[in-house]
Amino acid sequence: MHDDRSLVEARLKRVLDERIRPAVYPESVPLDVAVWHAPGEPVPVAEGLAAEPEPIRVGARWGAPWGTSWFRVTGTVPESWAGKTVEAVLDLGFDENMPGFQCEGLVYRPDGTPVKGLNPRNQWVRIGAPVAGGEEVRLHVEAASNPVILDYHPFLPTQLGDKETAGSEPQYTLARMDLAVLDETVWQLVIDLEVLGELMAELPVDSARRHDIVRAVEKALDALDLQDVGGTAEAARARLTGVLAAPAVSSAHRISAVGHAHIDSAWLWPLRETVRKVARTTSNMTALLEDEPDFVFAMSQAQQWAWVKEHRPEVWARVKKAVADGRFVPAGGMWVESDTNMPGSEAMARQFVHGKRFFLDEFGIENDEAWLPDTFGFAAGLPQIIRAAGSTRLLTQKISWSQTNKFPHHTFNWEGIDGTRIFTHFPPVDTYNCSMKGSEIAHAARNFKDKGVARHSLAPTGWGDGGGGTTREMVAKAARLRDLEGSASVVWETPAQFFAKAEAEYPEPPVWVGELYLELHRATLTSQAGTKQGNRRSEHLLREAELWAATAAVRTGFPYPYEELDRIWKTVLLHQFHDILPGSSIAWVHREARATYARLTEELTAIIEAAQRALAGEGSTEFVFNSAPHGRDGVPAGGAGTPAVGGHTALSAREGGGHVLDNGLLRIEIDARGLVVSAYDIEADRETVAPGRAAGLLQLHPDFPNMWDAWDVDEFYRNTVTDLTDADEVSAGEDGASVRVVRSFGASRVTQVLSLPPGERRLVLDTEVDWHETEKFLKLAFPLDVHAERYASETQFGHFYRSTHSNTSWEAAKFEACNHRFVHVEEPGWGVAIVNDSTYGHDVTRAVRTDGDRGTTTTVRASLLRAPRFPDPETDQGVHRFRHALVPGAGIGDAVREGWRINLPERRVTGAQDVAPLVGVDRDGVVITAVKLADDGSGDVVVRFHEAHGARTRATLTAHFPLAGATVTDLLERPLTDAAAPQRNGDAVTLSLRPFELVTLRLARG
């Protein structure tokens, strides 16, 4: 027969768009609308309901950027509609292509009961099914006029990202406010035709199934009277029953649909707006659960659940009931869906501690999976942390965004630095906003890389980013796709149900070892330096506060600040969300973050100082408190004492200009340009700086990526570089052990102080940048005379090796990577560490010198500052201070030690007595990351530590207090039944540790 497929497909599209969809609401009457605009920030519900609104008409502009408007809609259901299904259709001026990214609303009844959320793909509110006719309708809508930041022409700089600069121009036009009859038969016909039309488009052109659907669709359209769609819709549906009833083949891919609304805790909106986004979404989802018995919904991020509990108790009651019914499912077990590259060891652990404990305390539910669909890559230390929290599984999606290499698995075991393996799934649907489109379902089946050995995958289903969740249309489509020939089979299931099936069918999946590096969004390691510094310093202040408060509590009865530390930890964890810490949020978010970190610094400093005063007692002797995990200048780790003073640094003039610093261990030559041209290890008789090169060199690159300005740096940035070698000033420091260098470039100014502490093998570089560049990237370079094929960078509870070369596309793609406190490069027997107090992004390259010795130059560069203009057009403008240190002759243990030292400066307190450490460990390679009192208030001391050198070891931890018992626990401080009992001898506990092993030890006090 003739092929008229294209004709039928085109006919279907037009008839759906122009006749059938408009007939879903065949009758309507306008509602009366009035509005009250809140004068400032959002007001309590009672105030919004009580406000006196003014009339407004459809077509009127409304909503200043970030404003809140309370709409009151009233009307009467016509008597003639008796027996019909009636809905209010409330269109605030939505663009249906932007769910989650523009105005939204939450509908209330007059008594303040929340009904459901409104968003671009969810504009209806059920009035009655059926109605009696004559009902009075009165609804209130709390509408947020959030401006569109990411528009159709994306990444354009905008001042809309902060309420202080956004202006007052109305953002939206009120579009439709009606009561309308819902023709459910027509609505069902729309779903039938959408499912079949989308499936048809994915089937091979020469397949019999495709042509069966073509003929059935043609017959359905023939049966439809376009002037009486409602009257003929049932007949049209009857022509489709056969093709909709054809069952899926036995080998069809199986998709577990999980209702989902990925809500960024902040991004193109501030934190306060996320509180409302969560309320709207949870209202929608609890309502949908009541209407759809097969549907299940999963929500991650305990912080978002806590917001509902705190701010929307009426919604919380509905959520709790749905959880009890097993249909509204806590997922992920983390406080937020955090970045996982930059949070420190202890912070990453606490994400799980606080997240899992919230779900346990509120619902008695423990999650077995980490749920991180949108996080920008995963650090190699994470599997051990997930396992230590009592979980065994991970779901992620973002790796599908990698630009260069396609990840080879969708279901696999992920192995971390210590050998821990986590069962991991990476949904082949390639979105965490699945809408049940035929193209998405077909893509998941085609894309699944584990065919032949597995057939299950997961599809997070619902509008996300800015929330909204699953719609009734998605649920209806999933019902038709449950068992449909030509399609993957779709069933609603919880994450736990999916993982149980996936593990059962694939007991020995392939293994991926090391980090899950995202080949995209690399600049998130550098953007918004102030936010990153606030995070790093808060993490270390929390370590100090817990250490000294616990020590003082045990020794002096100091009141341990449980509630304050809990609150501060949760605030720090919130700001590790994957669009806050990475620097990819609007200006408002980062302005608030900087203020929050400043406040936390004051609070934590006050706790530290109070505990240290309690420990030192009254006296006039000056003591140094050492909160680092290694002894320092004769002061033990975690203790206080009088430091040993020794050594001297000589400052002299350098021949040819410049200065020489010499402390007997290192001789540093700084030339007339203020650059380090020699860093000589006197004991090893070895030069650190590559011949003809200079260290401490600031380099400036243009930085205008193809997309995603705050997120991305594209490799072509390296094609152009300006070495900042001109100096305004190079002078000897007043302390006699440092050199001060001042440079100007563009509209910016840099002051560097290079100092060589007496008796120390480290050159400290303090860099202050008054930064006023645009679309530039500032690097700090250390070209080293070291031949190495790999280098180590610190990650959570250990370090991870990356190649210095780019042999393969996988290695070449890692041209910007993450480190915590150190990067270490080594030849056998001699190495160099670069340590830092607040930077994360870096790159390492190697080159073979073509003249002279033909040796290898390995260049380590720390990333300091960027200046993207989207989404914050003023990113990083202003003054920043960084501290780095060059440590020649460093082994990996030196790198670990110096990394901690630069982040935990000593504190001097006058008092009467030394302070012995609360606990100590006899192995330099075993690092204590936390000393605290147990969260349950029992008074037990909790110590967390890990093997940090990558070597097997046996270590003894000694408690300097009477010890009644020692128990190995998980991160939540619960005994581990499968852990070997520690060997105890009095107040000492001995354990064997594998490389990078993490241990939490709970010590009962005698």
Side-chain angles (χ1 to χ4, degrees), residues 165-177:
T165 60
S168 58
E169 184 70 20
Q171 298 293 294
Y172 297 99
T173 300
L174 200 63
R176 183 179 184 184
M177 307 294 269

Side-chain angles (χ1 to χ4, degrees), residues 543-837:
R543 171 197 172 84
E544 291 188 80
E546 289 183 336
L547 168 66
W548 300 122
T551 305
V554 173
R555 297 276 167 71
T556 72
F558 178 82
Y560 191 79
Y562 290 101
E563 292 183 1
E564 294 94 327
L565 289 172
D566 180 78
R567 172 179 50 79
I568 292 170
W569 262 118
K570 288 174 179 174
T571 302
V572 171
L573 299 178
L574 167 60
H575 285 79
Q576 290 178 341
F577 178 75
H578 66 253
D579 276 308
I580 303 179
L581 180 54
S584 47
S585 288
I586 55 174
W588 189 346
V589 173
H590 293 290
R591 172 173 57 82
E592 287 190 331
R594 291 189 294 270
T596 297
Y597 286 129
R599 186 184 73 249
L600 297 184
T601 295
E602 292 182 1
E603 292 185 57
L604 289 167
T605 300
I607 293 172
I608 293 164
E609 290 177 348
Q612 289 178 339
R613 283 194 300 271
L615 287 164
E618 296 295 328
S620 57
T621 304
E622 185 177 73
F623 296 98
V624 168
F625 279 74
N626 174 23
S627 56
H630 306 91
R632 181 156 63 187
D633 301 328
V635 179
T642 304
V645 179
H648 171 70
T649 298
L651 174 65
S652 60
R654 176 179 176 270
E655 185 178 348
H659 304 271
V660 177
L661 295 167
D662 191 328
N663 66 0
L665 300 173
L666 299 177
R667 184 171 69 248
I668 307 296
E669 294 189 31
I670 301 165
D671 69 7
R673 303 170 299 171
L675 299 173
V676 179
V677 293
S678 175
Y680 196 76
D681 182 342
I682 296 172
E683 181 181 356
D685 190 22
R686 167 121 187 205
E687 176 58 62
T688 306
V689 181
R693 302 291 300 277
L697 172 67
L698 291 165
Q699 295 183 301
L700 194 66
H701 295 272
D703 184 18
F704 188 62
N706 289 344
M707 296 177 67
W708 300 105
D709 296 42
W711 294 257
D712 282 357
V713 56
D714 290 326
E715 193 172 15
F716 56 71
Y717 88 92
R718 291 180 173 178
N719 296 347
T720 306
V721 61
T722 300
D723 292 343
L724 302 180
T725 58
D726 293 339
D728 301 339
E729 174 190 338
V730 179
S731 60
E734 295 181 0
D735 60 358
S738 64
V739 174
R740 183 173 184 268
V741 183
V742 180
R743 306 183 194 280
S744 299
F745 59 95
S748 303
R749 179 181 174 90
V750 176
T751 301
Q752 275 188 314
V753 176
L754 294 80
S755 56
L756 184 62
E760 302 291 344
R761 302 170 58 87
R762 55 191 168 92
L763 172 67
V764 179
L765 296 89
D766 287 296
T767 304
E768 179 181 287
V769 188
D770 189 4
W771 179 249
H772 297 284
E773 303 307 300
T774 299
E775 294 167 351
K776 296 289 193 295
F777 198 2
L778 185 64
K779 293 266 190 174
L780 178 63
F782 298 89
L784 308 174
D785 190 11
V786 176
H787 177 83
E789 293 186 359
R790 66 176 190 172
Y791 72 96
S793 61
E794 188 184 34
T795 189
Q796 292 100 359
F797 298 111
H799 54 268
F800 177 69
Y801 288 100
R802 299 186 184 94
S803 297
T804 60
H805 57 75
S806 54
N807 278 1
T808 71
S809 59
W810 294 87
E811 292 150 345
K814 295 183 180 183
F815 59 82
E816 185 80 5
C818 183
N819 68 284
H820 287 187
R821 286 169 287 240
F822 70 79
V823 169
H824 181 253
V825 182
E826 187 174 33
E827 293 176 5
W830 194 86
V832 182
I834 311 295
V835 300
N836 73 83
D837 75 338

Side-chain angles (χ1 to χ4, degrees), residues 291-311:
D291 294 338
E292 301 290 350
D294 293 332
F295 175 57
V296 293
F297 181 77
M299 190 169 91
S300 66
Q301 307 192 73
Q303 170 69 87
Q304 295 187 1
W305 292 71
W307 280 334
V308 178
K309 181 181 180 182
E310 178 183 357
H311 297 283

Side-chain angles (χ1 to χ4, degrees), residues 248-267:
V249 298
S250 60
S251 60
H253 185 67
R254 307 286 196 260
I255 292 179
S256 297
V258 178
H260 185 239
H262 172 71
I263 304 178
D264 287 309
S265 290
W267 180 27

Side-chain angles (χ1 to χ4, degrees), residues 11 73 133 224 268 280 314 424 559 562 589 597 603:
R11 180 187 178 193
V73 295
L224 197 68
L268 305 180
R280 297 174 201 127
E314 311 89 347
T424 302
Y562 290 101
V589 173
Y597 286 129
E603 292 185 57

Side-chain angles (χ1 to χ4, degrees), residues 371-640:
W371 183 275
L372 293 165
D374 191 31
T375 295
F376 309 152
F378 299 88
L382 188 58
Q384 178 175 208
I385 300 171
I386 294 173
R387 181 78 66 170
S391 296
T392 60
R393 300 157 169 169
L394 169 68
L395 178 134
T396 180
Q397 181 66 67
K398 201 70 171 191
I399 301 300
S400 67
W401 286 42
S402 284
Q403 286 179 315
T404 306
N405 300 284
K406 197 161 181 65
F407 197 77
H409 317 295
H410 282 109
T411 301
F412 58 99
N413 273 330
W414 178 29
E415 182 178 316
I417 55 175
D418 74 314
T420 296
R421 291 181 176 179
I422 294 294
F423 188 84
T424 302
H425 182 64
F426 165 29
V429 71
D430 281 351
T431 178
Y432 45 79
N433 294 324
C434 177
S435 62
M436 284 292 131
K437 279 186 180 178
S439 56
E440 295 168 335
I441 302 305
H443 175 76
R446 285 195 300 263
N447 189 40
F448 188 57
K449 294 189 178 303
D450 302 284
K451 298 181 187 77
V453 287
R455 64 170 56 178
H456 283 85
S457 71
L458 185 144
T461 302
W463 300 117
D465 291 307
T470 318
T471 65
R472 62 183 178 184
E473 290 80 10
M474 297 174 193
V475 177
K477 285 188 171 185
R480 289 158 173 80
L481 295 170
R482 187 179 185 94
D483 188 16
L484 183 63
E485 183 185 354
S487 172
S489 175
V490 177
V491 61
W492 293 105
E493 291 187 306
T494 66
Q497 288 170 326
F498 159 75
F499 273 110
K501 289 181 178 179
E503 287 178 326
E505 74 175 359
Y506 209 7
E508 295 185 8
V511 177
W512 181 269
V513 178
E515 68 182 332
L516 291 170
Y517 179 91
L518 177 63
E519 297 171 354
L520 193 74
H521 292 0
R522 303 167 181 90
T524 58
L525 303 173
T526 306
S527 297
Q528 297 287 1
T531 300
K532 290 172 170 56
Q533 289 183 334
N535 174 72
R536 176 77 70 87
R537 288 164 186 171
S538 295
E539 289 180 350
H540 288 87
L541 285 168
L542 275 161
R543 171 197 172 84
E544 291 188 80
E546 289 183 336
L547 168 66
W548 300 122
T551 305
V554 173
R555 297 276 167 71
T556 72
F558 178 82
Y560 191 79
Y562 290 101
E563 292 183 1
E564 294 94 327
L565 289 172
D566 180 78
R567 172 179 50 79
I568 292 170
W569 262 118
K570 288 174 179 174
T571 302
V572 171
L573 299 178
L574 167 60
H575 285 79
Q576 290 178 341
F577 178 75
H578 66 253
D579 276 308
I580 303 179
L581 180 54
S584 47
S585 288
I586 55 174
W588 189 346
V589 173
H590 293 290
R591 172 173 57 82
E592 287 190 331
R594 291 189 294 270
T596 297
Y597 286 129
R599 186 184 73 249
L600 297 184
T601 295
E602 292 182 1
E603 292 185 57
L604 289 167
T605 300
I607 293 172
I608 293 164
E609 290 177 348
Q612 289 178 339
R613 283 194 300 271
L615 287 164
E618 296 295 328
S620 57
T621 304
E622 185 177 73
F623 296 98
V624 168
F625 279 74
N626 174 23
S627 56
H630 306 91
R632 181 156 63 187
D633 301 328
V635 179

